[in-house]
């Protein structure tokens, strides 16, 4: 099973930017669909973005479209989440996730990933 470690969270003012990173262990990173989720206090965890094995396909939740960009570097076993124009409502713990199934199956499962990181806190002040 892949091990995932997130980094890059912190405190930022509204309108600012952060880039989250997720480093994955193992030699099969390029075979994983990767995703980002978030959980705000008192709320359920929600999907943010996902990217296919090659990076050729991506998907975003409506609240982050046009502001967040997911990318991956398979040579570095790392997936990124560039977050721009941050809003206070983006405050949450952000989790990295991985899944070995094909992209179409992950979408069909409504992004039900099977491996998770421990999360990194993002706080956006108004």
């Amino acid at each position: 099973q892949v091990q995932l470690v997130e980094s890059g969270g912190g405190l930022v003012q509204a309108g600012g930017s952060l880039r989250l990173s997720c480093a994955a262990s193992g030699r099969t990173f390029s075979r994983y669909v990767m995703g980002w989720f978030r959980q705000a206090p008192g709320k359920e965890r929600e999907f943010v973005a996902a990217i296919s094995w090659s990076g050729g396909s991506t998907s975003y939740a409506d609240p982050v479209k046009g502001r967040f960009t997911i990318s991956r570097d398979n040579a570095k076993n790392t997936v990124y989440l560039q977050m721009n124009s941050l809003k206070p409502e983006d405050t949450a713990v952000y989790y990295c996730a991985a899944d070995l199934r094909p992209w179409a199956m992950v979408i069909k499962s409504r992004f039900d990933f099977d491996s998770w990181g421990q999360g990194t806190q993002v706080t956006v002040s108004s």
Side-chain angles (χ1 to χ4, degrees):
Q1 189 173 0
V2 65
Q3 303 297 317
L4 305 171
V5 178
E6 302 95 334
S7 62
L11 174 64
V12 63
Q13 289 188 334
S17 298
L18 280 175
R19 188 177 82 156
L20 304 183
S21 299
C22 173
S25 65
R27 299 180 179 179
T28 59
F29 175 76
S30 61
R31 296 171 53 192
Y32 282 87
V33 173
M34 300 298 297
W36 287 96
F37 290 72
R38 67 186 181 186
Q39 187 168 18
K43 295 186 177 181
E44 294 186 353
R45 186 166 58 191
E46 64 176 1
F47 169 75
V48 174
I51 189 167
S52 62
W53 304 329
S54 67
S57 297
T58 57
S59 181
Y60 296 92
D62 286 343
V64 308
K65 282 181 180 178
R67 299 189 299 123
F68 290 12
T69 302
I70 188 171
S71 62
R72 66 191 297 161
D73 186 336
N74 288 341
K76 296 182 178 180
N77 281 14
T78 302
V79 63
Y80 305 97
L81 185 68
Q82 178 67 44
M83 304 185 295
N84 298 328
S85 302
L86 282 162
K87 305 175 181 180
E89 51 264 44
D90 294 318
T91 295
V93 177
Y94 282 72
Y95 297 90
C96 177
D99 200 292
L100 266 178
R101 293 173 296 170
W103 175 251
M105 292 185 65
V106 174
I107 292 177
K108 187 175 182 179
S109 74
R110 298 184 181 180
F111 301 106
D112 184 19
F113 284 74
D114 59 16
S115 298
W116 296 87
Q118 294 301 306
T120 185
Q121 176 70 46
V122 172
T123 303
V124 184
S125 63
S126 58

